[in-house]
């Protein structure tokens, strides 16, 4: 009966975790999946989350269903975080926000909405992008194409090519953007480059879809939202997927949201109703626990401050690892310029290694990174960084 079903060989990022887990080498290092580990190599439970967990345990709430769109306080907190509570779009009710299963879930719900209501729209993703972006939109029957982005020669952005490309796109197409901490390259536009990109998007009447999975891990919680706020200030309608997997270390709780900024509050109400309908048909309603944790952290000023401090610590630790990796490699191979490691931001780094060098790191040194040379800097710590840097120098020689 199932002979015609094709075997799914697995996801290139998530399969690495399986391989890493069964590797018996005690020196093994996991730099594949985008997960933040602390300097002891542990997945942290943030203090702000521990505090809320204790409060929730005392309340002993029953396991009722959440509404289809999630907890109201959670959804409001997401809007406040994206725009600041005083922002006009928040105050006027022009945003339709629904809770989602991580940012992936928000992308999928958004993709479904786009396919249903903008069936002619093509979706443009950066070259390269997170591989699952393509799968998610294709899975919703959208046509996916690529726009120029990363320049391997300069380790920067092909900004002129990108702008020219956007200028010739048809109105109504979707442009998937990474507002901060570009996955997989770690290379973000500057604020003035964002201004140019978004101005063209506005002129060409394109629709930005901002995948915002790393707020706080680039510059800070506010600066990282620059592109989103700028787009809205320019009068654009925007789709935004956001997530608390990384910045609140809530990976398996699958806590994210989809927000659609609409021209009017009335349109936001209609869009919101359709997003709920999609959710009802997909999985009915989100799971409770993550919504409650984030609601309690973000809506309590003391816990919010505590969270901000913990996000800063994560960001600073990743930066310190970047600097140290750069220094070791630069000393070992002085003729090569490794400064890109310190210019990239967020969890990821395009290392510039060839697929053969990535494979050697895995087979000879048990160091796991994605085949496209993406490395998760947040898997480095003071105990493994010298081993990683020396091994990288070895394969680069
Ligand atoms: C990543 O890019 O590694 C993360 O976003 C995790 C994932 O699901 O791929």
């Amino acid at each position: 009966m199932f002979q015609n079903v094709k075997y799914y060989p697995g996801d290139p990022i998530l399969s690495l975790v399986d391989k890493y887990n069964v590797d018996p080498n005690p020196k093994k290092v996991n730099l594949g999946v985008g997960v933040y580990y602390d300097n002891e190599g542990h997945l942290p439970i943030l203090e702000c989350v521990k505090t809320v967990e204790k409060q929730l345990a005392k309340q002993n709430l029953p396991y009722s269903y959440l509404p289809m769109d999630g907890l109201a306080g959670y959804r409001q907190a997401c809007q406040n975080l994206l725009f600041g509570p005083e922002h006009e779009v928040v105050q006027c009710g022009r945003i339709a926000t629904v809770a989602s299963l991580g940012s992936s879930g928000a992308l999928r719900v958004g993709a479904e909405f786009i396919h249903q209501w903008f069936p002619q729209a093509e979706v443009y993703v950066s070259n390269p992008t997170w591989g699952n972006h393509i799968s998610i939109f294709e899975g919703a029957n959208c046509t996916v194409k690529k726009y120029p982005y990363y320049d391997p020669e300069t380790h920067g952005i092909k900004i002129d090519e990108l702008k020219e490309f956007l200028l010739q796109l048809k109105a109504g197409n979707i442009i998937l953007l990474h507002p901060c901490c570009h996955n997989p390259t770690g290379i973000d536009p500057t604020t003035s480059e964002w201004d140019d990109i978004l101005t063209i998007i506005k002129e060409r009447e394109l629709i930005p879809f901002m995948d915002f999975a790393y707020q706080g891990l680039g510059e800070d919680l506010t600066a990282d939202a620059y592109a989103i706020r700028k787009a809205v200030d320019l009068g654009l309608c925007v789709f935004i997927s956001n997530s608390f997997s990384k910045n609140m270390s809530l990976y398996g709780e699958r806590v994210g949201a989809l927000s659609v900024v609409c021209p009017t509050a009335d349109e936001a109400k209609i869009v919101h109703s359709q997003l709920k309908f999609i959710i009802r048909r997909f999985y009915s309603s989100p799971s409770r626990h993550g919504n409650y944790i984030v609601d309690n952290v973000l809506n309590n000023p003391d816990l919010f401050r505590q969270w901000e401090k913990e996000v800063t610590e994560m960001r600073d630790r990743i930066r310190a690892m970047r600097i140290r990796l750069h220094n070791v490699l630069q000393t070992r191979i002085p003729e090569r310029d490794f400064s890109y490691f310190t210019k990239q931001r967020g969890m990821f780094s395009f290392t510039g290694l060839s697929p053969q060098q990535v494979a050697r790191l895995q087979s000879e040194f048990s160091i796991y990174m994605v085949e496209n040379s993406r490395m998760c800097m947040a898997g480095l710590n003071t105990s493994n960084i010298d081993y990683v840097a020396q091994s990288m120098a070895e394969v680069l020689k």
Side-chain angles (χ1 to χ4, degrees), residues 271-290:
V271 170
H272 193 122
S273 73
Q274 282 296 335
L275 297 177
K276 288 203 297 192
F277 189 31
I278 292 171
I279 289 166
R280 177 66 172 148
R281 286 190 286 184
F282 273 176
Y283 54 88
S284 202
S285 61
S287 79
R288 292 170 46 90
H289 195 60

Side-chain angles (χ1 to χ4, degrees), residues 50-267:
K50 283 186 196 161
T51 306
V52 170
E53 288 286 16
K54 280 185 204 139
Q55 291 167 357
L56 290 175
K58 271 197 211 134
Q59 287 170 10
N60 209 13
L61 297 169
Y63 304 109
S64 60
Y65 286 127
L66 283 191
M68 289 177 267
D69 52 356
L71 209 59
Y74 168 77
R75 294 189 291 104
Q76 186 62 54
C78 287
Q79 295 188 0
N80 294 349
L81 192 62
L82 295 174
F83 293 99
E86 307 305 329
H87 197 287
E88 177 266 336
V89 276
V90 178
Q91 294 289 327
C92 295
R94 285 208 285 125
I95 319 173
T97 299
V98 292
S100 64
L101 306 182
S103 190
S104 302
L107 285 157
R108 184 61 180 86
V109 170
E112 188 72 13
F113 180 89
I114 286 164
H115 182 64
Q116 199 176 338
W117 298 102
F118 302 86
Q120 305 305 328
E122 293 175 332
V123 178
Y124 286 82
V125 299
S126 61
N127 185 16
T129 193
W130 180 52
N132 211 24
H133 280 148
I134 299 171
S135 300
I136 287 174
F137 280 94
E138 285 184 346
N141 294 312
C142 296
T143 301
V144 181
K145 295 183 174 169
K146 291 182 181 166
Y147 61 79
Y149 190 78
Y150 182 67
D151 186 347
E153 299 295 315
T154 62
H155 299 283
I157 299 176
K158 292 177 174 170
I159 190 69
D160 294 332
E161 239 182 272
L162 165 57
K163 288 198 265 184
E164 270 166 40
F165 187 88
L166 293 177
L167 277 167
Q168 50 81 40
L169 287 184
K170 277 214 295 258
N173 281 328
I174 310 286
I175 309 297
L176 188 88
L177 299 161
H178 307 217
C180 73
C181 309
H182 185 268
N183 180 3
T185 67
I187 301 289
D188 292 332
T190 61
T191 50
S192 81
E193 286 170 345
W194 273 125
D195 293 351
D196 292 350
I197 292 168
L198 294 167
T199 304
I200 296 173
I201 287 178
K202 168 80 180 161
E203 275 167 21
R204 300 297 310 151
E205 296 176 29
L206 303 167
I207 306 166
F209 197 132
M210 309 255 197
D211 185 16
F212 200 28
Y214 300 91
Q215 185 174 9
L217 294 176
E219 209 55 44
D220 60 51
L221 290 170
T222 306
D224 288 351
Y226 178 82
I228 292 176
R229 295 181 189 185
K230 179 74 191 185
V232 169
D233 292 345
L234 285 171
L236 280 158
C237 292
V238 193
F239 289 75
I240 305 151
S241 51
N242 77 298
S243 162
F244 296 97
S245 295
K246 331 281 175 173
N247 59 16
M248 217 179 275
S249 197
L250 290 176
Y251 304 89
E253 289 296 336
R254 311 308 294 133
V255 218
L258 173 66
S259 296
V260 187
V261 180
C262 304
T264 63
D266 285 344
E267 281 165 88

Side-chain angles (χ1 to χ4, degrees), residues 15-68:
S15 306
L16 277 178
V17 181
D18 301 334
K19 278 196 186 162
Y20 169 84
N21 284 340
V22 296
D23 187 334
N25 185 347
K27 286 182 149 178
K28 66 182 177 179
V29 187
N30 181 6
L31 306 176
V33 67
V35 171
Y36 176 91
Y37 294 98
D38 63 18
N39 196 46
E40 278 66 52
H42 300 138
L43 191 69
I45 305 175
L46 302 195
E47 290 304 321
C48 57
V49 172
K50 283 186 196 161
T51 306
V52 170
E53 288 286 16
K54 280 185 204 139
Q55 291 167 357
L56 290 175
K58 271 197 211 134
Q59 287 170 10
N60 209 13
L61 297 169
Y63 304 109
S64 60
Y65 286 127
L66 283 191
M68 289 177 267

Side-chain angles (χ1 to χ4, degrees), residues 25 27 29 365-367 384-392:
N25 185 347
K27 286 182 149 178
V29 187
F365 302 94
S366 296
I367 295 172
N384 66 21
I385 191 160
D386 290 332
Y387 174 64
V388 170
Q390 304 294 351
S391 310
M392 281 176 76

Side-chain angles (χ1 to χ4, degrees), residues 324-340:
R324 184 137 160 205
L325 181 66
H326 163 265
N327 292 350
V328 179
L329 284 173
Q330 204 59 76
T331 314
R332 281 287 303 266
I333 313 180
E335 64 279 12
R336 199 178 154 128
D337 178 15
F338 289 102
S339 59
Y340 56 90

